[in-house]
């Protein structure tokens, strides 16, 4: 009975070891294929959001981000200003959405207070980028602030709904 129990435990161990090996291989493949594409696209978005101040985003194996400006010096996200760091992480999130949810799939992008900590200049740059992206997919931007609505007012294909106006709870 002990030998049977040991053999069953060994089989389970071998199956788990094989599964871990397969997961590790899949993770390596994902990093090799997805990470460069993600870094490239996030860098393009970050360049637009930052007004050209940063040109590239570098992602390490654990997807920790660093920004590279025209001086070609990589700066860890921790060394950026809070505003630049927020832009960087928004760029990464938007790039992930583009890569995982291609526009051809018609999946809307939903953002909830994604620009809340941006100053007015960064907010305007992000809204301009989102307006451009909205040509490819529907974007729903929820915010507790009024400045986004003011900035987007009277823009083509922008619909602003204020829950306060309708007294919704």
């Amino acid at each position: 009975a002990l030998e049977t129990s040991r053999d069953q435990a060994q089989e389970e161990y071998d199956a788990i070891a094989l599964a871990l090996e397969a997961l590790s291989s899949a993770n390596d493949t994902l990093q090799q294929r997805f990470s460069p594409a993600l870094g490239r696209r996030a860098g393009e978005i970050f360049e637009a959001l930052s007004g050209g101040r940063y040109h590239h985003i570098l992602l390490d194996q654990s997807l920790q981000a660093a920004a590279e400006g025209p001086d070609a010096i990589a700066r860890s996200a921790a060394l950026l200003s809070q505003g630049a760091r927020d832009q960087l992480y928004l760029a990464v999130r938007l790039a992930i959405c583009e890569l995982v949810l291609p526009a051809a799939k018609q999946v809307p992008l939903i953002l909830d207070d994604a620009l809340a900590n941006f100053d007015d200049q960064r907010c305007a740059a992000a809204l301009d980028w989102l307006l451009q992206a909205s040509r490819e997919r529907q974007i729903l931007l929820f915010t507790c602030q009024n400045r986004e609505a003011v900035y987007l007012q009277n823009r083509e294909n922008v619909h602003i709904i204020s829950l306060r106006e309708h007294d919704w709870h």
Side-chain angles (χ1 to χ4, degrees):
L2 287 174
E3 285 180 9
T4 301
S5 180
R6 182 198 65 200
D7 290 344
Q8 287 177 337
Q10 184 64 49
E11 285 179 19
E12 289 178 19
Y13 175 83
D14 292 343
I16 291 171
L18 182 62
L20 287 173
E21 185 178 316
L23 287 172
S24 178
S25 176
N27 185 47
D28 290 345
T29 301
L30 178 66
Q31 286 179 353
Q32 290 171 358
R33 290 184 184 167
F34 187 71
S35 186
L38 175 60
R40 191 170 32 261
R41 184 59 186 136
E44 293 167 358
I45 296 169
F46 190 38
E47 184 172 18
L49 295 179
S50 69
R53 183 167 183 193
Y54 296 99
H55 298 280
H56 302 286
I57 291 179
L58 309 169
L59 299 169
D60 66 14
Q61 287 187 339
S62 63
L63 297 180
Q64 294 296 314
E68 188 178 283
D71 57 8
I73 296 174
R75 291 170 182 82
S76 167
L79 299 177
L80 299 175
S81 70
Q82 181 65 45
R85 190 169 39 248
D86 288 345
Q87 286 176 310
L88 182 145
Y89 287 121
L90 176 62
V92 171
R93 289 192 315 261
L94 292 170
I96 289 170
C97 289
E98 281 188 9
L99 294 172
V100 175
L101 306 169
K105 298 285 186 186
Q106 299 293 314
V107 177
L109 178 60
I110 301 172
L111 301 170
D112 186 13
D113 267 337
L115 313 178
N117 295 321
F118 283 25
D119 61 26
D120 290 342
Q121 184 178 359
R122 286 183 168 104
C123 181
L127 290 172
D128 288 340
W129 190 91
L130 291 171
L131 277 170
Q132 183 74 18
S134 73
R135 294 178 180 161
E136 300 293 321
R137 77 169 69 244
Q138 180 182 27
I139 298 177
L140 304 173
L141 175 63
F142 293 91
T143 181
C144 62
Q145 300 180 26
N146 193 38
R147 67 180 176 164
E148 289 88 344
V150 170
Y151 187 83
L152 294 172
Q153 194 170 11
N154 299 320
R155 300 288 183 108
E156 186 178 347
N157 295 321
V158 172
H159 305 282
I160 299 169
I161 300 171
S162 173
L163 298 182
R164 288 187 192 116
E165 284 179 14
H166 299 289
D167 198 29
W168 293 343
H169 300 285

